[in-house]
Amino acid sequence: MKTHTRSRRLCLAALLVSLMPWAATALAADGQDMRNVTNAFGDTHVPATPQRIVTLYQGATDSAVALGITPVGVVDSWLEKPMYRYLRDALNGVEHVGLETQPNLEKVAWLKPDLIVATRFRHERVRPLLEKIAPTVATDTVFDFKATLRLIAEATGREARARELLRNWDARVADFRQRIADTLGDAWPQKAAVVRFKSDHVRIYSTGFAGSILNELGFEQPSSLHDQDWGMKLTSEENIPVMNADVIFVLLEPNDPAIMRNYRHWTSHPLWKRLDAVQDDRVFEVDPVDWIMGGGILAANAMLDDLYAHYGLDGPGDPTTPAATCTEETSTKSRAHDEESSAC
């Protein structure tokens, strides 16, 4: 039944976009300047200054806001629906176009975007339909926040702002690495486990958004996770020793009673109490939105803020304030039609 519904929606979307002028053709006919952007979908011709942008994954939405862009359409968040709290002010009134894994193509088309930001990991199947709606650029994955930031910046002419954000990020990374090495001495580097409790199992991540950032900061992976692709799914408490590490970062959803029950069950087990991080009081509960869900430069800096706080380090201030200010300026205008702020 789900397959039939999905097929019917795709057919309706195809019919809809076939009745609309192709965005790229219309733009070219208007004589608007175009630029070529190399991305995971190949070489894409996009408007020199796109005004109506739709983002189809979380990291793209985060990155757009960081660059001072207010999209005309975004997908629903995974948690804190319909949108993560840290983005709500910037995205107040923006249209939602369904799920990241199944965007509503009819809604996307009716928004008449002049640029769509997608990811091959999620949207390869609907790529032909997206490209009929508007020029579409894509990243390979959903968690490489630097690649996402650079791609959106190139597609929108905001390369200078992206370079500024990445310079600030690199400075914070260098500062953190120096401070934590000075603080921990011979105990650095530490092996870090990122653990997410679900209602009926536990996941331990080795790659992805949090894993790549921890690696950049100088943390190491637990020995049990070497050659484990994304990580491991643990279904029995007998697997608790797999989580052994110098520090454990626990991703929780406190509003889900089933998850919290499972968390209490696992952490009351004798094997949990034998873990090095537990015995050294280095188990930190962290926000899954910042650590794995947000997927962009703003979430990455929030995750780094957590690490400064948990290790008691005095770090440089949040470098994303200029983008937030820029977003506030542009959000006071009509999100549908106004030109970008020159400050962005």
Side-chain angles (χ1 to χ4, degrees):
M1 184 65 182
K2 289 183 178 179
T3 302
H4 291 310
T5 301
R6 187 177 299 112
S7 299
R8 187 161 55 249
R9 286 177 177 172
L10 288 174
C11 290
L12 287 171
L15 176 62
L16 177 61
V17 298
S18 70
L19 296 174
M20 296 176 58
W22 288 10
T25 303
L27 288 166
D30 291 341
Q32 183 173 344
D33 291 337
M34 305 288 286
R35 71 171 72 201
N36 183 69
V37 177
T38 301
N39 61 96
F41 282 173
D43 289 335
T44 304
H45 293 288
V46 305
T49 55
Q51 301 298 311
R52 302 182 59 80
I53 300 167
V54 171
T55 56
L56 295 184
Y57 66 102
Q58 311 305 320
T61 303
D62 176 304
S63 299
V65 171
L67 290 168
I69 299 167
T70 304
V72 297
V74 298
V75 287
D76 293 344
S77 58
W78 296 108
L79 301 175
E80 300 177 352
K81 292 182 179 296
M83 182 48 58
Y84 300 127
R85 283 189 287 269
Y86 79 97
L87 294 175
R88 286 181 186 174
D89 287 345
L91 299 176
N92 182 36
V94 170
E95 292 289 334
H96 284 246
V97 295
L99 303 175
E100 181 173 313
T101 51
Q102 190 176 341
N104 186 319
L105 301 185
E106 296 97 322
K107 283 189 174 182
V108 174
W110 283 117
L111 288 172
K112 297 181 180 179
D114 52 13
L115 177 67
I116 298 171
V117 183
T119 171
R120 184 163 62 181
F121 177 70
R122 299 281 193 211
H123 307 118
E124 179 69 35
R125 183 174 58 87
V126 295
R127 172 184 174 182
L129 297 176
L130 293 174
E131 290 177 337
K132 283 190 175 183
I133 297 172
T136 302
V137 296
T139 56
D140 278 313
T141 70
V142 296
F143 65 80
D144 188 340
F145 72 94
K146 295 181 182 179
T148 296
L149 186 70
R150 291 190 183 104
L151 177 63
I152 298 178
E154 182 182 359
T156 60
R158 289 171 169 80
E159 293 95 333
R161 175 59 186 157
R163 287 193 294 270
E164 178 188 0
L165 287 166
L166 291 174
R167 280 196 300 269
N168 287 335
W169 170 259
D170 290 341
R172 296 194 81 200
V173 169
D175 179 82
F176 180 87
R177 291 179 66 111
Q178 182 63 55
R179 289 176 186 270
I180 197 168
D182 291 344
T183 299
L184 297 183
D186 293 340
W188 179 254
Q190 288 188 334
K191 293 182 177 181
V194 179
V195 175
R196 187 181 185 190
F197 284 84
K198 301 298 288 182
S199 60
D200 60 351
H201 68 277
V202 178
R203 300 174 190 174
I204 178 170
Y205 296 99
S206 59
T207 59
F209 185 72
S212 64
I213 291 173
L214 289 173
N215 181 65
E216 184 177 2
L217 293 171
F219 288 90
E220 296 179 348
Q221 289 187 5
S223 303
S224 60
L225 289 183
H226 292 169
D227 302 321
Q228 288 296 323
D229 193 21
W230 67 269
M232 300 176 67
K233 178 180 178 180
L234 310 179
T235 57
S236 169
E237 294 89 336
E238 295 177 357
N239 299 133
I240 286 177
V242 169
M243 294 186 276
N244 195 49
D246 298 313
V247 58
I248 297 176
F249 299 104
V250 177
L251 309 174
L252 283 180
E253 298 168 43
N255 294 328
D256 190 316
I259 289 177
M260 296 308 295
R261 281 195 299 271
N262 195 40
Y263 175 56
R264 289 190 293 269
H265 174 72
W266 280 66
T267 56
S268 64
H269 195 280
L271 288 176
W272 173 267
K273 301 182 186 304
R274 296 180 188 174
L275 296 177
D276 291 342
V278 176
Q279 294 187 352
D280 294 337
D281 197 26
R282 289 197 181 275
V283 178
F284 303 126
E285 295 180 12
V286 295
D287 188 343
V289 171
D290 295 336
W291 280 65
I292 60 172
M293 298 295 187
I297 184 74
L298 299 177
N301 275 285
M303 175 179 165
L304 186 48
D305 289 342
D306 282 350
L307 289 165
Y308 271 108
H310 287 309
Y311 281 93
L313 307 176
D314 293 327
D318 182 358
T320 59
T321 302
T325 302
C326 178
T327 301
E328 289 172 3
E329 292 172 356
T330 57
S331 66
T332 62
K333 304 176 182 179
S334 169
R335 291 178 175 79
H337 304 287
D338 287 333
E339 296 181 357
E340 62 181 326
S341 166
S342 60
C344 302

